[in-house]
Amino acid sequence: MKLDKDLFIKHLQGMVKIPTVSSADPEKTRVEDFFALHKYLEEAYPLLHKTLKKEVVGKCALIYKWEGKGDSQELPLLMTAHQDVVPEGDLSMWKYPPYEAHLDEEGILWGRGTTDSKCNIQAYFDAVELLIADGFVPATDIYFAFGYNEEIMGGPGAAGPIINAAFAEKGIKFGMAIDECGGIQEIDGKLIANIVVSEKGYADHEFYVEDPGGHSAYPPVHTALGKVGHAIWELENNRMEPMLIEPVTNEMKARVPFVKDELKEIYQDPEAHWETLKEMAENSRDINQMLRTTTAATMAQGSMQANILPERASIITNSRMLPGQTIEDLEAHFASVMPEGVKFRLIKGHNPPPVSTTESYGYGLLKEIVSEMYPGITFIPSVMAGGTDSRYYCDITPTKSVYRFTGIMSSKRSDGAHQVNEHIDTEIIENNVKFYIELFSRYGK
């Protein structure tokens, strides 16, 4: 089987050139751009589209079924990614236009979606195309599911539940589900494979005060905006208590060979150094997010003019809940610290998904393949602060084997997800395809 890196790059370029931007307002998402991506995929991967069964659900979500031989005892494999990208931001700050998919002389591919997460779709599909050309048929069914609004983290019309319902209606369950994030990196000359076994929950809340308003020349002691400012102060000075949960403890212990000085001793036995960890969390954003359900005020709104007292003032917060805590726990905390007169409401959110096991067939297979590709590598099961669509597939994966992991090797020459100048080092693309060739050809045997 011959791998063609130039063809892989060309395929990724073709995807990046299509501006599949999702919007928090479902009516503003340009569905025609997603259908343009679908058409491109058909052109780029003819064998795949001749062999796999394709279904479009919701507005433009994609589900593909690669039918297996049926001689495996394992439940099907689910591979997920998302078609949508975040808005491009300030165009004047881009080195190259975000949808030009410019490949520079150093082998860097520039454009929105190069790393998040069209490179996943490209790697999955190039692996499938090559395997089909080689006459391969998987041992059990393999499904691919690509949503169209992962980047807005749920809300009205979220594609994840629509895809979930399509599977549930047919009674399809999975032995393992794989989504984006995680991956392979080098730290001080040592390789680690970060397999994400869970992620934090997510919640957006509005805190607001209603007031008679009036002329700013006749203000009260505390305006509506002043009161919500007080609410921010209370939230920041009365945070939820830190916790040391088992998956975080496991991650810390796995990271011992890759941290230095005082942290090495602490991570060897986090429970014994709990008081020290709490102190460190006050100055370290990374440690703080590992130990705490966090809340950050991110948006504010008052009146529309400087000389008008606001009749309604509000702030928006974003919270990330540790596994084991819920939106209900979060809101109980909010209620306990809110100043009089400040109300709040949930805009959108979801509780943390279950923590996946590291003892499953699927986890063992990932370790086996990665160990062969990168001898001596260390595996780190972790909890991520961000979110993926993988949470929607936990209830249809009874093996507790939902992982966020990509076979891609991180590179200092790749960067910019969610920022201007997103780009990827094309030298790492080929190994990503190799990883999925191994995964698809071995799963279920």
Side-chain angles (χ1 to χ4, degrees):
M1 184 184 297
K2 184 179 179 181
L3 276 63
D4 187 343
K5 186 182 75 171
D6 291 337
L7 182 62
F8 302 158
I9 294 170
K10 179 183 175 182
H11 286 162
L12 183 53
Q13 284 179 299
M15 296 180 203
V16 171
K17 288 178 180 178
I18 304 170
T20 50
V21 181
S22 56
S23 171
D25 181 350
E27 299 305 315
K28 293 181 180 178
T29 296
R30 299 189 302 270
V31 178
E32 61 272 18
D33 290 333
F34 288 82
F35 286 122
L37 176 62
H38 298 182
K39 183 179 179 182
Y40 175 75
L41 293 175
E42 291 175 6
E43 295 168 353
Y45 302 104
L47 292 179
L48 182 150
H49 283 84
K50 182 180 179 180
T51 306
L52 277 62
K53 296 177 182 177
K54 171 185 165 184
E55 182 181 2
V56 179
V57 299
K59 287 189 173 182
C60 49
L62 288 171
I63 296 177
Y64 290 85
K65 178 184 179 182
W66 192 4
E67 191 166 339
K69 296 176 183 177
D71 58 1
S72 173
Q73 295 182 348
E74 296 298 329
L75 289 170
L77 171 65
L78 173 62
M79 304 298 301
T80 68
H82 56 91
Q83 305 170 67
D84 60 313
V85 298
V86 296
E88 56 272 16
D90 186 347
L91 290 173
S92 68
M93 296 178 66
W94 281 81
K95 185 175 182 179
Y96 303 101
Y99 303 112
E100 185 180 278
H102 178 82
L103 180 66
D104 69 20
E105 63 277 5
E106 295 181 354
I108 306 299
L109 178 60
W110 301 79
R112 178 60 83 221
T114 49
T115 64
D116 188 12
S117 75
K118 288 179 177 176
C119 62
N120 289 63
I121 299 175
Q122 170 267 313
Y124 297 168
F125 274 17
D126 273 307
V128 173
E129 191 81 357
L130 286 166
L131 285 166
I132 293 172
D134 209 39
F136 174 77
V137 178
T140 188
D141 296 342
I142 300 177
Y143 288 83
F144 301 86
F146 308 139
Y148 49 84
N149 50 16
E150 188 266 0
E151 293 292 9
I152 66 171
M153 291 299 293
I162 296 171
I163 296 171
N164 176 296
F167 287 133
E169 185 179 342
K170 297 174 184 176
I172 300 168
K173 294 186 181 296
F174 299 101
M176 180 164 67
I178 302 286
D179 206 340
E180 62 172 330
C181 298
I184 300 154
Q185 67 181 119
E186 183 177 327
I187 299 178
D188 294 334
K190 302 174 183 177
L191 291 176
I192 67 168
N194 182 27
I195 302 178
V196 180
V197 296
S198 190
E199 59 189 49
K200 284 184 154 185
Y202 180 103
D204 292 334
H205 283 86
E206 180 189 43
F207 293 78
Y208 62 95
V209 171
E210 294 168 333
D211 189 84
H215 199 294
S216 62
Y218 302 91
V221 175
H222 299 293
T223 68
L225 193 56
K227 290 177 181 177
V228 293
H230 185 197
I232 295 175
W233 176 262
E234 292 296 340
L235 289 172
E236 292 184 347
N237 286 278
N238 296 279
R239 296 170 297 167
M240 292 191 74
E241 289 298 315
M243 295 171 55
L244 189 58
I245 61 175
E246 183 179 359
V248 169
T249 299
N250 293 340
E251 178 178 353
M252 287 180 173
K253 290 179 178 179
R255 288 193 181 277
V256 168
F258 308 97
V259 295
K260 299 177 180 179
D261 305 325
E262 180 188 15
L263 209 55
K264 186 179 290 287
E265 180 182 347
I266 292 169
Y267 276 19
Q268 284 175 338
D269 192 349
E271 296 94 337
H273 295 88
W274 177 231
E275 294 303 321
T276 303
L277 275 171
K278 287 194 292 184
E279 292 175 9
M280 294 178 72
E282 298 303 305
N283 298 304
S284 169
R285 295 186 186 188
D286 288 340
I287 293 178
N288 182 60
Q289 72 83 16
M290 294 174 78
L291 303 182
R292 179 179 272 116
T293 289
T294 61
T295 296
T298 55
M299 303 171 70
Q301 178 67 54
S303 72
M304 301 303 292
Q305 191 165 299
N307 61 354
I308 300 173
L309 296 173
E311 295 175 352
R312 190 180 192 279
S314 64
I315 59 167
I316 304 296
T317 63
N318 177 248
S319 299
R320 306 292 175 126
M321 288 85 71
L322 282 174
Q325 295 189 317
T326 65
I327 292 175
E328 291 73 21
D329 296 328
L330 180 67
E331 292 186 341
H333 172 73
F334 289 161
S336 71
V337 302
M338 273 303 96
E340 185 177 353
V342 181
K343 302 175 183 178
F344 63 87
R345 68 180 184 92
L346 177 67
I347 300 172
K348 65 179 179 183
H350 59 266
N351 290 326
V355 178
S356 290
T357 179
T358 58
E359 303 297 326
S360 68
Y361 161 76
Y363 193 89
L365 180 60
L366 294 178
K367 289 183 66 175
E368 177 183 299
I369 295 169
V370 174
S371 294
E372 290 175 10
M373 293 181 68
Y374 304 97
I377 196 168
T378 298
F379 293 87
I380 298 181
S382 64
V383 179
M384 63 182 285
T388 68
D389 275 349
S390 65
R391 66 186 182 276
Y392 294 116
Y393 309 120
C394 292
D395 65 337
I396 51 176
T397 309
T399 57
K400 294 180 65 178
S401 302
V402 177
Y403 306 112
R404 300 112 187 121
F405 181 74
T406 175
I408 210 161
M409 166 75 81
S410 66
S411 167
K412 294 179 180 178
R413 303 201 311 157
S414 300
D415 198 11
H418 288 217
Q419 304 171 26
V420 298
N421 291 319
E422 183 178 351
H423 58 279
I424 191 169
D425 178 0
T426 58
E427 290 299 318
I428 64 179
I429 288 178
E430 187 172 322
N431 261 17
N432 204 24
V433 177
K434 284 182 182 178
F435 170 77
Y436 293 113
I437 287 173
E438 292 297 321
L439 178 60
F440 301 158
S441 59
R442 295 195 201 186
Y443 184 85
K445 287 189 175 180

